[in-house]
Amino acid sequence: MNSMINCQNPNHDSQRIKYICVDPICQTQQKIGCADCFLEDHVTHQRKNVEQFHDQVKQQLESFNQIEFQPITNAIQQDLEKQIENELENCLSCITYRFTNIKSDLKNLLDGENEKLQESYNALQQSKNNELDQMKNVNDILSISQEELNELVKFYQESSKIQNNYSKASEIFADEKQKIKQKKQKYLQKLRAIMQGLMKEFNDLMTTKNLQYDDFSEFETPQKSSMSPNKMTSFVESTRSQRRYYMNQSKKLLFGNSLRKE
């Protein structure tokens, strides 16, 4: 047996190195030793014999080596882009649907107004045509009947009044057309105001800055919420430094040789 697997303490009769202290509260720098070492410095501490410690650490290292970090790929970005495109298409479809309905409603309103105006126009035009039909024989005064002549005389007597009435009807008709045009402009102004309001809210909400500073707290646990990539690295480094204990070269050799047989 190599002499390095025996205790180097002159008072311990070169006993075989047997134990390693694994107690979390141990403050002793010398973690490995013989039975007397442990009676003096680690009497109440948790311990493992060298072979057990070696096997268990090796097993833990193998388990530790099984931990894998998923590599960064474009899959996340591609999936995000696809979902954004789908959301955008859905959003545009909804907006198109709503504005198509609004356009249809406004068209129906204007069509109703135009239909009423067209009915008024047809009635006025028909009335005017009837008046003209009764006067079409004005060139045959000497040959028309007395009744037809009386109609011409009546028209002559009331022509100013008739023309005045039709002129007023024409003005009313023009006013109604203007009202419909004004209603159309009013509808367009309201629609434009809706669009401007939507675009303002959209610009305020859909900005990169607004998304970047969202805390996404609904996806976080108390541990994850404070664990940025830099903090994760620091966390790993700090846990590693906390579990280290001093072991000089001779102690490393002592531990290594204690595992090897002659």
Side-chain angles (χ1 to χ4, degrees), residues 12 31 68 86 91 100 159 215 237-238 243:
H12 292 176
K31 302 292 184 182
E68 294 183 356
N86 290 337
C91 181
T100 299
S159 61
D215 60 9
E237 291 295 330
S238 65
R243 69 174 180 269

Side-chain angles (χ1 to χ4, degrees), residues 62-75:
E62 290 175 354
S63 297
F64 175 73
N65 194 40
Q66 298 300 315
I67 298 175
E68 294 183 356
F69 299 100
Q70 294 184 356
I72 301 299
T73 65
N74 290 332

